[in-house]
Amino acid sequence: MPLRISRKHHNELLERALAAGNQECCGLLLGRDDRLFELVPCANVAKNPERHFELDPVELLSRHKAARDGGVPIIGYYHSHPNGLARPSATDTAQAVADGRYWLIIAGDGVTAWKPLAEAAQVIGFESIPILVEG
């Protein structure tokens, strides 16, 4: 089943990656099931943001709490790859959690979607998910 996102959100992802330059941008995907409703940009607090991303934990916890209180749930995460590779890196695999959420990677002029594959709660790779850009 494809992830459904609006043309507006698709363009916003590309703009965020472009604005971040040689650093990885990152954020949260809010929505329901396979439909993206909102992008939430987060500060990249990684020690080396040119090669890695780490979501601001304050924003992440705040959004989890909001979802528990009836807000729109987190359905995934996004980040850019300034190196132009539109697939999950070894670091992405090592840092991923087997939570079933989407991972969007922005690279060059494209956006790709992925879901973690796990064995015994250990992420071993990612499955490519089609994106349906609407509008």
Side-chain angles (χ1 to χ4, degrees):
M1 178 178 300
L3 174 63
R4 302 164 71 92
I5 68 174
S6 69
R7 170 93 34 219
K8 174 186 169 243
H9 287 130
H10 185 267
N11 291 342
E12 189 177 335
L13 288 164
L14 295 172
E15 290 166 8
R16 289 188 190 285
L18 184 61
N22 68 343
Q23 295 190 356
E24 293 192 15
C25 70
C26 60
L28 301 170
L29 309 170
L30 305 185
R32 297 212 190 277
D33 302 318
D34 65 341
R35 184 172 298 275
L36 175 66
F37 295 162
E38 182 182 351
L39 299 173
V40 178
C42 295
N44 181 351
V45 298
K47 291 180 183 176
N48 185 357
E50 294 82 14
R51 298 184 47 83
H52 305 290
F53 83 99
E54 183 178 339
L55 296 165
D56 176 0
V58 173
E59 184 68 36
L60 181 60
L61 290 173
S62 170
R63 292 298 174 152
H64 276 297
K65 183 179 182 324
R68 280 194 310 274
D69 292 342
V72 180
I74 297 169
I75 62 167
Y77 320 94
Y78 72 84
H79 72 285
S80 61
H81 280 178
N83 64 9
L85 299 177
R87 65 184 189 289
S89 66
T91 301
D92 292 337
T93 302
Q95 292 181 332
V97 176
D99 59 8
R101 291 187 170 102
Y102 293 98
W103 280 56
L104 295 186
I105 297 176
I106 310 117
D109 60 355
V111 179
T112 57
W114 307 85
K115 278 199 172 181
L117 296 171
E119 284 184 6
Q122 174 78 25
V123 174
I124 58 168
F126 285 85
E127 170 188 15
S128 177
I129 304 294
I131 296 175
L132 178 59
V133 179
E134 302 176 317

